[in-house]
């Protein structure tokens, strides 16, 4: 077994700790590019049945280290086994192919997430104007998505859109109208719907909402899409912003501010499995590159 993306995984720490993006490629730019390549998928692939533990690389990468000071054998071990403590003794337990793939994918997601966050911070830092300077702000809201078939990706995008819409309502409509009232300015009041109940439906842990129920399903050993669909329909059916199609039992609908969208739960659980093994996290954190 080998981690897809293992060819550049070690450079994730370099991207997180680098001092800048601009000024040519250089060491920092190389770290960013190698991290991006690793996140998008490298050359190693898993082969064999669950009981078989074997790694097959392309000739270009075979025998090479992952990059920086990350040891290839340590990465291979962290991707293909997990550490257990039994009766005070530490043991390395081999993972099945499916479990190793999940660990690899979780590492790729974590690497991509850290790289993306770092790039945004660097861009914001470079573009930031002095605190005393006047500026014009532009809010670019995510495009709302409603396709013939909608999955977890569309739910995440539409959730972000709902959140930005609420921010827009509060900062532009609600706050401005309160200021008009304080200053005694005559204007025509603009009424708008509060979409907080929809946000709670998706993310609230108290309900619990759709995403917490999905996280809960991913922690179960036998978690499945069908069980997730059943739990969502059972827990949220009375909610005013929720609909449960009678015939399509593997789906549910949310009444977003822009439109009602039906989501197919097939693939939700696999897409949301992103638990990073402690050994992998510790290995990445220990690298100096």
């Amino acid at each position: 077994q080998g981690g897809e993306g293992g060819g550049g995984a070690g450079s994730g720490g370099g991207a997180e700790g680098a001092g800048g993006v601009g000024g040519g490629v250089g060491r920092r730019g190389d770290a960013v590019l190698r991290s991006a390549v690793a996140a998008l998928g490298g050359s190693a692939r898993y082969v064999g049945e669950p009981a078989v533990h074997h790694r097959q690389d392309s000739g270009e990468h075979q025998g090479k280290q992952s990059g920086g000071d990350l040891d290839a054998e340590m990465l291979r071990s962290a991707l293909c086994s997990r550490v257990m403590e039994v009766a005070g003794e530490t043991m390395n337990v081999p993972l099945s192919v499916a479990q190793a793939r999940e660990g690899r994918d979780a590492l790729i997601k974590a690497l991509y997430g850290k790289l993306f966050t770092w790039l945004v911070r660097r861009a914001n830092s470079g573009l930031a104007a002095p605190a005393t300077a006047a500026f014009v702000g532009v809010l670019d809201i995510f495009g709302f998505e409603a396709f013939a078939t909608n999955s977890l990706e569309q739910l995440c995008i539409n959730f972000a859109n709902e959140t930005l819409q609420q921010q827009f309502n509060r900062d532009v409509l609600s706050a401005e109208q309160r200021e008009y009232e304080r200053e005694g300015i005559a204007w025509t009041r603009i009424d708008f719907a509060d979409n907080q109940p929809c946000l709670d439906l998706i993310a609230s842990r108290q309900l619990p909402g759709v995403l917490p129920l999905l996280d809960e399903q991913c922690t179960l050993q036998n978690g499945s899409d069908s069980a997730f669909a059943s739990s969502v329909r059972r827990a949220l059916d009375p909610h005013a912003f929720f609909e449960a199609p009678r015939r399509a039992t593997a789906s549910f609908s949310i009444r977003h501010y822009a439109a009602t969208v039906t989501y197919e739960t097939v693939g939700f659980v696999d897409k949301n499995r992103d638990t990073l093994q402690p050994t992998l996290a510790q290995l990445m954190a220990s690298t100096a590159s």
Side-chain angles (χ1 to χ4, degrees), residues 49-233:
E49 297 300 323
V52 178
H53 302 279
H54 175 67
R55 186 176 191 265
Q56 184 176 22
D57 294 292
S58 66
E60 180 182 356
H61 291 77
Q62 191 167 4
K64 293 185 178 181
Q65 279 195 313
S66 299
D69 63 351
L70 178 62
D71 182 76
E73 286 302 322
M74 294 175 65
L75 176 61
R76 183 183 305 175
S77 176
L79 284 167
C80 299
S81 62
R82 62 187 177 93
V83 177
M84 285 186 61
E85 287 192 9
V86 180
E89 295 185 3
T90 302
M91 301 175 58
N92 283 333
V93 180
L95 299 175
S96 67
V97 170
Q99 291 172 330
R101 285 197 184 109
E102 289 179 4
R104 172 204 61 189
D105 292 346
L107 175 61
I108 290 173
K109 289 178 183 179
L111 180 61
Y112 178 86
K114 285 188 174 293
L115 174 61
F116 183 85
T117 300
W118 178 79
L119 287 172
V120 170
R121 287 175 178 168
R122 292 301 306 167
N124 287 341
S125 176
L127 296 174
T132 57
F135 72 94
V136 175
V138 178
L139 174 62
D140 183 10
I141 296 181
F142 284 70
F144 191 83
E145 292 192 355
F147 303 132
T149 301
N150 302 286
S151 189
L152 181 59
E153 295 87 348
Q154 282 67 52
L155 177 60
C156 292
I157 289 171
N158 293 341
F159 175 52
N161 204 21
E162 288 277 0
T163 304
L164 286 173
Q165 181 66 27
Q166 183 188 67
Q167 188 72 30
F168 175 83
N169 289 343
R170 290 179 175 177
D171 290 351
V172 177
L173 299 180
S174 181
E176 287 297 320
Q177 292 187 113
R178 286 198 303 269
E179 186 173 347
Y180 287 178
E181 289 177 350
R182 287 194 302 268
E183 297 181 3
I185 299 175
W187 88 102
T188 301
R189 174 171 291 278
I190 301 174
D191 294 323
F192 57 90
D194 183 11
N195 65 342
Q196 185 61 51
C198 186
L199 293 172
D200 291 340
L201 170 68
I202 298 173
S204 172
R205 294 191 177 277
Q206 294 180 342
L207 278 178
V210 174
L211 295 180
L213 287 171
L214 178 59
D215 288 339
E216 180 182 277
Q217 195 64 216
C218 291
T219 63
L220 302 177
Q221 185 174 2
N222 298 321
S224 65
D225 296 326
S226 59
F228 164 65
S230 298
S231 66
V232 166
R233 293 163 69 96

